[in-house]
Amino acid sequence: MYTVTPQIMLFDVGEPQSFDQSRAIGLVEPLLPYFADAFFGAFTEFRIGIDETTRAKFGGRVRGQVVTELAWAHVRDQLTEWDEIKFCDKLGFFKVIVNDEVVIRFKRLNRDLLADSKDTDQSRAWFGNQHVDGVADHLLRLTFGYRPERNWMSCHHYYLTHQSSFKSLAWVSSISVVDQDFAIETADEKGQPAHGLPGIEIKPLLPKAIELKDQA
């Protein structure tokens, strides 16, 4: 027996894409090692830079907001010298604009790989790719998504997504950090590039992807 996961229902199957997925990935792919390094730094700072007793006082949402803002700061530090990169803080959250073609926000994803956002007029417009004051309409809205561990002490699951609405995805690519221990290993030991950043593998997931499981 085989089962089809509910995730197939999240994709707008058959609808033309507003922006070629391969072009979007091509623009973002050079940045992914820097994003990975930034998030590794953010989780590490939260884990060892904040006293355990203090961390224990934080609820889940507070932990998430602290790590998120640490990640924003680390991304800024990583990309501040890039000419083709602009930072944007309009609308109350941090974004990276690449080559005046795509705008990337950083969001925790839910189990369906959708951005974990409150249902507000602004979020519906943002993820519905509708006009939002403060951000140019021609920019493709991408999400560098992550699914952290429940305690917000680490994260091993990253994705690049383009949502077509508040509750559906146009496409999603899985991002794998080749070596999760890149920050504490030397380049020679792990064969990492000379710049010391992690190796990255990005794999587009088909919109009609069906997960088949043999239940026999």
Side-chain angles (χ1 to χ4, degrees), residues 88 90-91 95 122 125-126 130-137 141:
C88 177
K90 295 178 180 178
L91 307 178
K95 298 167 290 300
Q122 178 176 293
W126 178 270
Q130 300 169 2
H131 174 74
V132 179
D133 289 339
V135 176
D137 290 339
R141 299 169 190 173

Side-chain angles (χ1 to χ4, degrees), residues 56-76:
K57 297 175 182 178
F58 295 161
R61 287 196 173 275
V62 175
R63 286 175 176 239
Q65 189 58 45
V66 170
V67 174
T68 296
E69 296 202 12
L70 287 173
W72 293 352
H74 280 265
V75 170
R76 287 182 191 273

Side-chain angles (χ1 to χ4, degrees), residues 109-172:
L109 302 182
N110 63 23
R111 60 183 296 179
D112 296 318
L113 305 186
L114 294 165
D116 190 12
S117 296
K118 293 182 179 179
D119 190 356
T120 64
D121 290 341
Q122 178 176 293
S123 62
R124 286 195 300 272
W126 178 270
F127 293 113
N129 300 286
Q130 300 169 2
H131 174 74
V132 179
D133 289 339
V135 176
D137 290 339
H138 73 276
L139 296 171
L140 181 76
R141 299 169 190 173
L142 303 180
T143 299
F144 181 83
Y146 49 99
R147 299 202 65 209
E149 306 306 316
R150 287 190 176 185
N151 59 9
W152 284 92
M153 301 287 276
S154 63
C155 183
H156 304 283
H157 302 285
Y158 297 96
Y159 303 87
L160 184 68
T161 75
H162 174 47
Q163 289 194 206
S164 48
S165 75
F166 191 70
K167 295 185 178 180
S168 62
L169 290 161
W171 52 262
V172 56

Side-chain angles (χ1 to χ4, degrees), residues 7-204:
Q7 182 152 332
I8 190 174
M9 304 304 294
L10 299 175
F11 291 94
D12 292 336
V13 179
E15 293 187 5
Q17 295 180 4
S18 59
F19 192 101
D20 183 69
Q21 182 177 2
S22 61
R23 172 59 177 167
I25 292 175
L27 286 170
V28 178
E29 196 163 20
L31 306 178
L32 293 178
Y34 298 88
F35 289 168
D37 200 42
F39 273 78
F40 187 92
F43 281 100
T44 300
E45 185 175 352
F46 180 70
R47 187 173 65 253
I48 67 176
I50 298 177
D51 180 81
E52 182 178 357
T53 302
T54 301
R55 285 201 314 269
K57 297 175 182 178
F58 295 161
R61 287 196 173 275
V62 175
R63 286 175 176 239
Q65 189 58 45
V66 170
V67 174
T68 296
E69 296 202 12
L70 287 173
W72 293 352
H74 280 265
V75 170
R76 287 182 191 273
D77 290 343
Q78 290 281 351
L79 301 178
T80 188
E81 300 297 329
W82 286 57
D83 292 335
E84 63 269 41
I85 297 295
K86 294 182 179 179
F87 302 132
C88 177
D89 294 292
K90 295 178 180 178
L91 307 178
F93 56 91
F94 173 68
K95 298 167 290 300
V96 170
I97 298 173
V98 185
N99 202 42
D100 198 36
E101 292 185 61
V102 301
V103 55
I104 307 166
R105 69 179 302 182
F106 304 85
K107 288 288 294 181
R108 180 184 184 184
L109 302 182
N110 63 23
R111 60 183 296 179
D112 296 318
L113 305 186
L114 294 165
D116 190 12
S117 296
K118 293 182 179 179
D119 190 356
T120 64
D121 290 341
Q122 178 176 293
S123 62
R124 286 195 300 272
W126 178 270
F127 293 113
N129 300 286
Q130 300 169 2
H131 174 74
V132 179
D133 289 339
V135 176
D137 290 339
H138 73 276
L139 296 171
L140 181 76
R141 299 169 190 173
L142 303 180
T143 299
F144 181 83
Y146 49 99
R147 299 202 65 209
E149 306 306 316
R150 287 190 176 185
N151 59 9
W152 284 92
M153 301 287 276
S154 63
C155 183
H156 304 283
H157 302 285
Y158 297 96
Y159 303 87
L160 184 68
T161 75
H162 174 47
Q163 289 194 206
S164 48
S165 75
F166 191 70
K167 295 185 178 180
S168 62
L169 290 161
W171 52 262
V172 56
S173 292
S174 176
I175 299 167
S176 297
V177 178
V178 176
D179 179 10
Q180 287 287 347
D181 297 323
F182 60 84
I184 57 175
E185 301 286 356
T186 67
D188 289 340
E189 287 175 338
K190 305 304 290 187
Q192 296 298 333
H195 50 54
L197 292 169
I200 294 293
E201 292 178 349
I202 184 165
K203 180 181 179 181

